[in-house]
Coordinates of all heavy atoms in Angstrom, one line a residue:
M21 N -32.8 -4.9 -130.6 CA -34.1 -4.5 -130.0 C -34.9 -3.7 -131.1 O -34.3 -2.8 -131.8 CB -33.8 -3.4 -128.8 CG -35.1 -3.0 -128.0 SD -34.7 -2.0 -126.8 CE -33.8 -3.1 -125.7
P22 N -36.1 -4.1 -131.4 CA -36.9 -3.5 -132.5 C -37.3 -2.1 -132.2 O -37.5 -1.7 -131.0 CB -38.1 -4.5 -132.5 CG -38.2 -5.0 -131.2 CD -36.8 -5.1 -130.6
I23 N -37.5 -1.3 -133.1 CA -38.0 0.1 -132.9 C -39.3 0.0 -133.5 O -39.7 -0.4 -134.7 CB -37.1 1.0 -133.8 CG1 -35.7 1.0 -133.3 CG2 -37.6 2.4 -133.6 CD1 -34.8 2.0 -134.0
Y24 N -40.2 0.5 -132.7 CA -41.6 0.5 -133.1 C -42.1 2.1 -133.3 O -41.4 3.0 -132.8 CB -42.7 -0.1 -132.1 CG -42.4 -1.5 -132.1 CD1 -41.8 -2.1 -131.0 CD2 -43.0 -2.4 -133.0 CE1 -41.6 -3.4 -130.9 CE2 -42.8 -3.7 -132.9 CZ -42.1 -4.3 -131.8 OH -42.0 -5.6 -131.7
E25 N -43.0 2.3 -134.2 CA -43.5 3.6 -134.4 C -44.8 3.8 -133.6 O -45.6 2.9 -133.6 CB -43.9 3.9 -135.9 CG -42.6 4.0 -136.6 CD -42.9 4.4 -138.1 OE1 -44.0 4.0 -138.6 OE2 -42.1 5.3 -138.7
Y26 N -44.9 4.9 -132.9 CA -46.1 5.2 -132.2 C -46.8 6.4 -132.8 O -46.2 7.3 -133.4 CB -45.8 5.6 -130.7 CG -45.3 4.4 -130.1 CD1 -44.1 3.9 -130.0 CD2 -46.2 3.8 -129.2 CE1 -43.6 2.8 -129.3 CE2 -45.8 2.6 -128.4 CZ -44.5 2.1 -128.4 OH -44.1 1.0 -127.7
K27 N -48.1 6.3 -132.8 CA -48.9 7.6 -133.2 C -49.7 8.1 -132.1 O -50.5 7.4 -131.5 CB -49.7 7.2 -134.4 CG -50.4 8.4 -134.9 CD -51.4 8.2 -136.1 CE -52.0 9.3 -136.7 NZ -52.9 9.1 -137.8
C28 N -49.4 9.3 -131.7 CA -50.1 9.9 -130.6 C -51.6 10.1 -130.9 O -52.0 10.5 -132.0 CB -49.5 11.3 -130.3 SG -50.4 12.1 -129.0
Q29 N -52.4 9.8 -130.0 CA -53.9 9.9 -130.2 C -54.3 11.2 -129.8 O -55.5 11.5 -130.0 CB -54.6 8.8 -129.3 CG -54.1 7.4 -129.7 CD -54.9 6.3 -129.2 OE1 -55.4 6.2 -128.0 NE2 -55.4 5.5 -130.1
N30 N -53.4 12.1 -129.3 CA -53.8 13.4 -129.0 C -53.4 14.4 -130.1 O -54.2 15.1 -130.6 CB -53.2 13.8 -127.6 CG -53.7 15.2 -127.3 OD1 -54.8 15.4 -127.2 ND2 -52.7 15.9 -126.8
C31 N -52.1 14.4 -130.5 CA -51.6 15.3 -131.4 C -51.2 14.7 -132.7 O -50.9 15.4 -133.6 CB -50.3 16.0 -130.8 SG -48.9 15.0 -130.6
S32 N -51.6 13.4 -132.7 CA -51.3 12.6 -134.2 C -50.0 12.7 -134.7 O -49.8 12.4 -135.8 CB -52.3 13.2 -135.1 OG -53.8 13.0 -134.8
R33 N -49.0 13.0 -133.8 CA -47.7 12.9 -134.3 C -47.2 11.5 -134.3 O -47.7 10.7 -133.4 CB -46.7 13.7 -133.4 CG -46.9 15.2 -133.4 CD -45.8 16.0 -132.9 NE -46.1 17.2 -132.6 CZ -45.1 18.3 -132.7 NH1 -44.0 18.0 -133.1 NH2 -45.5 19.6 -132.4
I34 N -46.3 11.1 -135.1 CA -45.7 9.8 -135.2 C -44.2 9.9 -134.7 O -43.6 10.7 -135.1 CB -45.8 9.2 -136.5 CG1 -47.3 9.0 -137.0 CG2 -45.2 7.8 -136.7 CD1 -47.5 8.6 -138.3
F35 N -43.9 9.0 -133.9 CA -42.5 9.1 -133.3 C -42.1 7.6 -133.2 O -42.9 6.7 -133.0 CB -42.3 9.8 -132.1 CG -43.2 9.4 -130.9 CD1 -42.8 8.5 -130.1 CD2 -44.6 9.8 -130.9 CE1 -43.6 8.0 -129.0 CE2 -45.4 9.3 -129.8 CZ -44.8 8.4 -128.9
E36 N -40.8 7.5 -133.1 CA -40.1 6.1 -133.0 C -39.7 5.9 -131.6 O -39.4 6.9 -130.8 CB -39.0 5.9 -133.9 CG -39.5 5.8 -135.4 CD -38.2 5.7 -136.4 OE1 -37.1 5.9 -135.8 OE2 -38.3 5.3 -137.5
N37 N -39.9 4.6 -131.1 CA -39.5 4.5 -129.8 C -39.0 3.0 -129.6 O -39.6 2.0 -130.3 CB -40.7 4.7 -128.8 CG -40.2 5.0 -127.4 OD1 -39.0 4.9 -127.1 ND2 -41.1 5.3 -126.5
F38 N -38.1 2.8 -128.8 CA -37.6 1.4 -128.4 C -38.7 0.8 -127.6 O -39.3 1.3 -126.7 CB -36.2 1.4 -127.8 CG -35.2 1.9 -128.7 CD1 -34.7 3.2 -128.6 CD2 -34.6 1.1 -129.5 CE1 -33.8 3.7 -129.3 CE2 -33.5 1.5 -130.4 CZ -33.2 2.9 -130.2
Q39 N -38.9 -0.6 -127.9 CA -39.9 -1.3 -127.1 C -39.1 -2.5 -126.5 O -38.7 -3.3 -127.1 CB -41.0 -1.7 -127.9 CG -42.1 -2.5 -127.2 CD -43.0 -1.4 -126.5 OE1 -43.2 -0.4 -126.9 NE2 -43.2 -1.8 -125.2
P40 N -39.1 -2.4 -125.2 CA -38.4 -3.4 -124.4 C -39.2 -4.7 -124.5 O -40.3 -4.8 -125.3 CB -38.2 -2.9 -123.0 CG -39.2 -1.9 -122.9 CD -39.4 -1.3 -124.3
L41 N -38.9 -5.6 -123.6 CA -39.5 -7.0 -123.8 C -41.0 -6.9 -123.1 O -41.3 -7.4 -121.9 CB -38.8 -8.0 -122.8 CG -37.4 -8.3 -123.5 CD1 -36.5 -9.2 -122.5 CD2 -37.5 -9.0 -124.8
T42 N -41.8 -6.3 -123.8 CA -43.2 -6.1 -123.4 C -44.1 -6.0 -124.6 O -43.7 -5.5 -125.7 CB -43.3 -4.9 -122.6 OG1 -44.9 -4.8 -122.2 CG2 -42.9 -3.7 -123.2
D43 N -45.4 -6.3 -124.4 CA -46.3 -6.4 -125.6 C -47.1 -5.0 -125.5 O -48.1 -5.0 -126.0 CB -47.1 -7.6 -125.6 CG -46.4 -8.8 -126.1 OD1 -45.5 -8.5 -126.8 OD2 -46.7 -9.9 -125.6
E44 N -46.7 -4.2 -124.7 CA -47.6 -2.9 -124.6 C -47.6 -2.2 -125.9 O -46.8 -2.0 -126.6 CB -46.9 -2.0 -123.7 CG -47.0 -2.3 -122.1 CD -48.3 -1.8 -121.6 OE1 -49.0 -0.9 -122.3 OE2 -48.9 -2.3 -120.7
V45 N -49.0 -1.9 -126.3 CA -49.1 -1.3 -127.5 C -49.4 0.1 -127.4 O -49.6 0.8 -128.3 CB -50.4 -2.0 -128.3 CG1 -50.0 -3.4 -128.7 CG2 -51.5 -2.1 -127.5
I46 N -49.5 0.5 -126.0 CA -49.7 1.9 -125.8 C -48.4 2.5 -125.2 O -48.0 2.1 -124.2 CB -50.9 2.1 -124.8 CG1 -52.3 1.4 -125.3 CG2 -51.1 3.6 -124.4 CD1 -52.7 2.1 -126.6
G47 N -48.0 3.6 -125.9 CA -46.9 4.2 -125.4 C -47.3 5.6 -124.9 O -48.4 6.1 -124.8
E48 N -46.2 6.4 -124.5 CA -46.4 7.7 -124.1 C -45.8 8.6 -125.3 O -44.7 8.5 -125.7 CB -45.8 8.0 -122.8 CG -46.2 9.3 -122.1 CD -45.7 9.4 -120.7 OE1 -44.5 9.9 -120.7 OE2 -46.4 9.0 -119.7
C49 N -46.6 9.7 -125.6 CA -46.2 10.6 -126.6 C -44.9 11.4 -126.1 O -45.0 11.9 -125.0 CB -47.4 11.5 -127.1 SG -46.8 12.8 -128.3
I50 N -43.9 11.4 -126.9 CA -42.7 12.2 -126.4 C -42.9 13.6 -126.6 O -42.1 14.4 -126.2 CB -41.5 11.9 -127.3 CG1 -41.7 12.1 -128.8 CG2 -41.2 10.3 -127.0 CD1 -40.5 11.8 -129.6
Y51 N -44.1 14.1 -127.3 CA -44.3 15.5 -127.4 C -45.3 16.0 -126.5 O -45.1 17.2 -126.0 CB -44.9 15.7 -128.9 CG -44.0 15.3 -130.0 CD1 -44.2 14.1 -130.6 CD2 -42.9 16.1 -130.3 CE1 -43.4 13.7 -131.6 CE2 -42.0 15.6 -131.3 CZ -42.3 14.5 -132.1 OH -41.4 14.2 -133.0
C52 N -46.3 15.3 -126.2 CA -47.3 15.9 -125.3 C -47.6 14.9 -124.1 O -48.4 15.3 -123.3 CB -48.7 16.2 -126.0 SG -49.6 14.7 -126.6
G53 N -47.1 13.8 -124.2 CA -47.3 12.8 -123.0 C -48.6 12.1 -123.0 O -48.9 11.2 -122.1
A54 N -49.4 12.4 -124.0 CA -50.7 11.5 -124.1 C -50.4 10.1 -124.6 O -49.4 9.9 -125.2 CB -51.5 12.3 -125.1
P55 N -51.4 9.2 -124.3 CA -51.3 8.0 -124.9 C -51.1 7.8 -126.3 O -51.7 8.4 -127.1 CB -52.6 7.3 -124.4 CG -53.2 8.1 -123.4 CD -52.7 9.5 -123.7
A56 N -50.1 7.0 -126.7 CA -49.8 6.9 -128.2 C -50.0 5.4 -128.5 O -49.5 4.5 -127.8 CB -48.4 7.3 -128.4
K57 N -50.6 5.0 -129.6 CA -50.8 3.8 -130.1 C -49.5 3.3 -130.8 O -49.3 4.0 -131.9 CB -52.0 3.6 -130.7 CG -52.7 2.4 -130.6 CD -54.1 2.2 -131.1 CE -54.9 1.0 -130.8 NZ -56.3 0.9 -131.4
R58 N -49.1 2.0 -130.6 CA -48.0 1.6 -131.4 C -48.5 1.2 -132.8 O -49.7 0.6 -132.9 CB -47.5 0.3 -130.8 CG -46.2 -0.1 -131.4 CD -45.5 -1.3 -130.6 NE -46.2 -2.4 -130.9 CZ -46.1 -3.6 -130.3 NH1 -45.3 -3.6 -129.1 NH2 -46.7 -4.7 -130.5
I59 N -47.9 1.6 -133.9 CA -48.2 1.3 -135.1 C -47.1 0.4 -135.8 O -45.9 0.6 -135.6 CB -48.6 2.5 -136.1 CG1 -47.4 3.3 -136.1 CG2 -49.7 3.3 -135.5 CD1 -47.7 4.5 -137.0
I60 N -47.4 -0.5 -136.7 CA -46.4 -1.3 -137.4 C -46.1 -0.5 -138.7 O -46.9 -0.3 -139.5 CB -46.8 -2.7 -137.6 CG1 -47.3 -3.3 -136.4 CG2 -45.6 -3.5 -138.3 CD1 -46.3 -3.3 -135.4
S61 N -45.0 -0.1 -138.8 CA -44.6 0.7 -140.0 C -45.0 0.1 -141.2 O -44.6 -1.2 -141.5 CB -43.1 1.0 -140.0 OG -42.6 1.7 -141.0
G62 N -45.7 0.7 -142.1 CA -46.2 0.2 -143.3 C -47.6 -0.4 -143.2 O -48.6 -0.2 -144.0
K63 N -47.8 -1.3 -142.2 CA -49.0 -2.1 -142.1 C -50.3 -1.1 -141.9 O -51.2 -1.3 -142.6 CB -49.0 -2.9 -140.9 CG -48.5 -4.4 -141.4 CD -48.8 -5.5 -140.3 CE -48.3 -6.8 -140.8 NZ -48.6 -7.9 -139.8
V64 N -50.1 -0.1 -141.1 CA -51.2 0.7 -140.9 C -51.5 1.5 -142.1 O -52.8 1.7 -142.5 CB -50.9 1.7 -139.7 CG1 -52.0 2.8 -139.6 CG2 -50.7 1.0 -138.4
G65 N -50.6 1.9 -142.7 CA -50.8 2.7 -144.1 C -51.5 1.8 -145.0 O -52.4 2.2 -145.7
V66 N -51.2 0.5 -145.1 CA -51.8 -0.4 -146.1 C -53.3 -0.5 -145.7 O -54.1 -0.6 -146.5 CB -51.1 -1.7 -146.1 CG1 -51.9 -2.7 -146.8 CG2 -49.6 -1.7 -146.7
V67 N -53.6 -0.6 -144.3 CA -54.9 -0.9 -144.0 C -55.7 0.4 -144.4 O -56.8 0.2 -145.0 CB -55.1 -1.0 -142.4 CG1 -56.5 -1.0 -142.0 CG2 -54.4 -2.4 -142.0
F68 N -55.2 1.6 -144.0 CA -56.0 2.7 -144.5 C -56.1 2.8 -146.1 O -57.2 3.1 -146.6 CB -55.3 4.0 -144.1 CG -55.5 4.3 -142.6 CD1 -54.6 4.3 -141.6 CD2 -56.8 4.8 -142.2 CE1 -54.9 4.5 -140.3 CE2 -57.1 5.0 -140.9 CZ -56.2 4.9 -139.9
K69 N -55.1 2.6 -146.7 CA -55.2 2.7 -148.2 C -56.1 1.6 -148.8 O -56.7 1.8 -149.6 CB -53.8 2.6 -148.8 CG -52.9 3.8 -148.7 CD -51.5 3.7 -149.2 CE -50.6 4.8 -148.8 NZ -49.3 4.6 -149.3
G70 N -56.0 0.4 -148.0 CA -56.7 -0.7 -148.6 C -58.3 -0.4 -148.6 O -59.0 -0.6 -149.4
S71 N -58.7 0.2 -147.4 CA -60.2 0.5 -147.2 C -60.5 1.6 -148.2 O -61.5 1.5 -148.9 CB -60.4 0.9 -145.8 OG -59.7 2.1 -145.5
G72 N -59.5 2.5 -148.4 CA -59.8 3.6 -149.2 C -60.0 3.2 -150.7 O -60.9 3.5 -151.3
F73 N -59.0 2.3 -151.1 CA -59.1 1.8 -152.4 C -60.3 1.0 -152.6 O -60.9 0.9 -153.7 CB -57.8 0.9 -152.7 CG -56.7 1.8 -153.1 CD1 -55.5 1.7 -152.5 CD2 -56.9 2.8 -154.0 CE1 -54.3 2.4 -152.8 CE2 -55.7 3.6 -154.4 CZ -54.5 3.3 -153.8
Y74 N -60.7 0.4 -151.6 CA -61.9 -0.7 -151.7 C -63.1 0.2 -152.0 O -63.9 0.0 -153.0 CB -62.1 -1.4 -150.4 CG -63.3 -2.3 -150.4 CD1 -63.3 -3.4 -151.3 CD2 -64.5 -1.8 -149.8 CE1 -64.4 -4.2 -151.2 CE2 -65.6 -2.6 -149.9 CZ -65.6 -3.9 -150.6 OH -66.7 -4.8 -150.6
V75 N -63.3 1.3 -151.3 CA -64.4 2.1 -151.4 C -64.5 2.8 -152.9 O -65.3 2.8 -153.6 CB -64.5 3.3 -150.5 CG1 -65.6 4.3 -150.7 CG2 -64.7 2.7 -149.1
T76 N -63.2 3.3 -153.2 CA -63.1 3.8 -154.7 C -63.3 2.7 -155.6 O -64.0 3.1 -156.6 CB -61.6 4.4 -154.8 OG1 -61.4 5.3 -153.6 CG2 -61.6 5.3 -156.0
D77 N -62.7 1.6 -155.5 CA -62.9 0.5 -156.5 C -64.3 0.1 -156.5 O -64.9 -0.1 -157.7 CB -61.9 -0.6 -156.0 CG -61.7 -1.6 -157.2 OD1 -61.5 -1.0 -158.3 OD2 -61.8 -2.7 -157.0
Y78 N -65.0 0.1 -155.5 CA -66.3 -0.3 -155.4 C -67.3 0.7 -156.3 O -68.0 0.3 -156.9 CB -66.9 -0.5 -154.0 CG -68.2 -1.0 -154.0 CD1 -68.5 -2.4 -154.2 CD2 -69.4 -0.1 -153.6 CE1 -69.8 -2.7 -154.1 CE2 -70.6 -0.7 -153.4 CZ -70.8 -1.9 -153.7 OH -72.1 -2.4 -153.5
K79 N -67.0 1.9 -156.0 CA -67.9 3.1 -156.6 C -67.5 2.9 -158.3 O -68.4 3.1 -159.0 CB -67.4 4.4 -156.2 CG -68.1 4.7 -154.7 CD -67.7 6.0 -154.2 CE -68.3 6.3 -153.0 NZ -67.9 7.6 -152.4
K80 N -66.1 2.8 -158.5 CA -65.9 2.7 -159.9 C -66.6 1.5 -160.7 O -67.1 1.6 -161.7 CB -64.3 2.5 -160.1 CG -63.7 3.8 -160.0 CD -62.1 3.6 -160.1 CE -61.5 5.0 -160.1 NZ -59.9 4.9 -160.0
K81 N -66.6 0.3 -159.9 CA -67.2 -0.8 -160.5 C -68.7 -0.5 -160.7 O -69.3 -1.1 -161.6 CB -67.1 -2.1 -159.5 CG -65.7 -2.6 -159.7 CD -65.5 -3.8 -158.7 CE -64.1 -4.4 -158.9 NZ -63.8 -5.3 -157.8
E82 N -69.3 0.3 -159.8 CA -70.7 0.5 -160.0 C -71.0 1.4 -161.2 O -71.9 1.5 -161.9 CB -71.3 1.2 -158.7 CG -71.8 0.2 -157.7 CD -72.4 0.9 -156.5 OE1 -72.2 2.1 -156.3 OE2 -73.2 0.2 -155.9
E83 N -70.0 2.3 -161.4 CA -70.2 3.3 -162.4 C -70.0 2.7 -163.8 O -70.7 3.0 -164.8 CB -69.2 4.5 -162.2 CG -69.7 5.5 -161.3 CD -68.6 6.6 -161.1 OE1 -67.8 6.7 -161.9 OE2 -68.7 7.2 -160.0
K84 N -69.0 1.9 -163.9 CA -68.5 1.3 -165.2 C -69.6 0.6 -165.9 O -69.9 0.9 -167.1 CB -67.3 0.5 -165.1 CG -66.0 1.2 -165.1 CD -64.8 0.3 -164.9 CE -63.6 1.0 -164.9 NZ -62.4 0.1 -164.5
P85 N -70.4 -0.3 -165.2 CA -71.6 -1.0 -165.8 C -72.5 0.0 -166.5 O -73.1 -0.2 -167.6 CB -72.1 -1.8 -164.8 CG -71.0 -2.1 -163.8 CD -70.1 -0.7 -163.9
E86 N -72.8 1.1 -165.6 CA -73.7 2.1 -166.1 C -73.3 2.6 -167.5 O -74.2 2.7 -168.4 CB -73.9 3.2 -165.1 CG -74.9 2.7 -164.0 CD -75.1 3.8 -162.9 OE1 -75.0 4.9 -163.3 OE2 -75.2 3.6 -161.8
R87 N -72.0 3.0 -167.5 CA -71.5 3.7 -168.7 C -71.7 2.6 -169.9 O -72.0 3.0 -171.0 CB -70.1 4.2 -168.5 CG -70.1 5.4 -167.6 CD -68.6 5.8 -167.4 NE -68.4 6.9 -166.5 CZ -67.3 7.3 -166.0 NH1 -66.1 6.7 -166.3 NH2 -67.2 8.3 -165.1
T88 N -71.3 1.5 -169.5 CA -71.3 0.5 -170.6 C -72.7 0.2 -171.3 O -72.9 0.2 -172.4 CB -70.7 -0.8 -170.0 OG1 -69.4 -0.6 -169.3 CG2 -70.6 -1.8 -171.2
E89 N -73.7 0.2 -170.2 CA -75.0 0.0 -170.7 C -75.5 1.1 -171.6 O -76.1 1.1 -172.7 CB -75.9 -0.1 -169.4 CG -75.9 -1.6 -168.8 CD -76.8 -1.7 -167.7 OE1 -77.7 -0.8 -167.6 OE2 -76.5 -2.4 -166.7
K90 N -75.1 2.4 -171.1 CA -75.6 3.6 -171.9 C -75.1 3.6 -173.3 O -75.6 3.9 -174.2 CB -75.2 4.8 -171.1 CG -76.1 5.1 -169.9 CD -75.6 6.4 -169.2 CE -76.5 6.7 -168.0 NZ -76.0 7.7 -167.1
N91 N -73.7 3.2 -173.4 CA -73.1 3.2 -174.6 C -73.7 2.1 -175.5 O -73.9 2.3 -176.6 CB -71.6 2.9 -174.4 CG -70.8 4.2 -173.9 OD1 -71.4 5.3 -173.8 ND2 -69.7 3.9 -173.3
E92 N -74.0 1.0 -174.8 CA -74.6 -0.1 -175.6 C -76.0 0.2 -176.1 O -76.4 0.0 -177.2 CB -74.6 -1.3 -174.8 CG -73.2 -2.0 -174.7 CD -73.4 -3.3 -173.8 OE1 -74.4 -3.5 -173.2 OE2 -72.4 -3.9 -173.7
N93 N -76.8 1.0 -175.3 CA -78.2 1.3 -175.7 C -78.0 2.3 -176.8 O -79.0 2.4 -177.7 CB -78.9 1.9 -174.4 CG -79.2 0.9 -173.5 OD1 -79.1 -0.2 -173.9 ND2 -79.5 1.1 -172.3
K94 N -77.0 3.3 -176.7 CA -77.0 4.2 -177.8 C -76.4 3.6 -179.1 O -76.8 3.7 -180.1 CB -75.8 5.4 -177.5 CG -76.6 6.4 -176.4 CD -75.6 7.3 -176.1 CE -76.2 8.4 -174.9 NZ -75.2 9.3 -174.5
Ligands
ZN200 ZN1 -48.9 13.9 -128.5

């Protein structure tokens, strides 16, 4: 039986829970009882990091050409 991780949408705690034969992606927080969303270990982090890296990378790409131009002009 697979173990899924849930992240509470109320207290933001992450906890593991067994998921029986159901596709329910909403669980119940074991800490406060609020709805908790099932997360796939690793995948969620990658998504967050990916978007963050994309923004950072995009900004860096914008800066680099400017620096290069300035250096070339000087
Ligand atoms: Zn909670």
Side-chain angles (χ1 to χ4, degrees):
M21 190 179 289
I23 300 175
Y24 293 102
E25 284 187 328
Y26 289 81
K27 185 177 183 183
C28 178
Q29 304 198 302
N30 182 47
C31 66
S32 294
R33 290 198 200 213
I34 294 175
F35 59 93
E36 291 177 347
N37 203 355
F38 292 99
Q39 186 72 40
L41 297 171
T42 172
D43 286 329
E44 281 282 339
V45 292
I46 301 295
E48 194 175 85
C49 178
I50 62 176
Y51 299 103
C52 68
K57 209 170 189 181
R58 192 174 77 192
I59 60 176
I60 308 300
S61 188
K63 269 195 177 181
V64 172
V66 170
V67 172
F68 275 114
K69 284 177 186 173
S71 62
F73 277 131
Y74 176 76
V75 173
T76 306
D77 199 40
Y78 185 70
K79 283 180 180 175
K80 278 181 182 176
K81 278 179 183 174
E82 274 189 335
E83 283 179 15
K84 276 180 183 176
E86 279 182 32
R87 286 179 186 171
T88 306
E89 279 180 29
K90 282 177 185 175
N91 287 340
E92 283 178 357
N93 288 340
K94 279 178 186 174

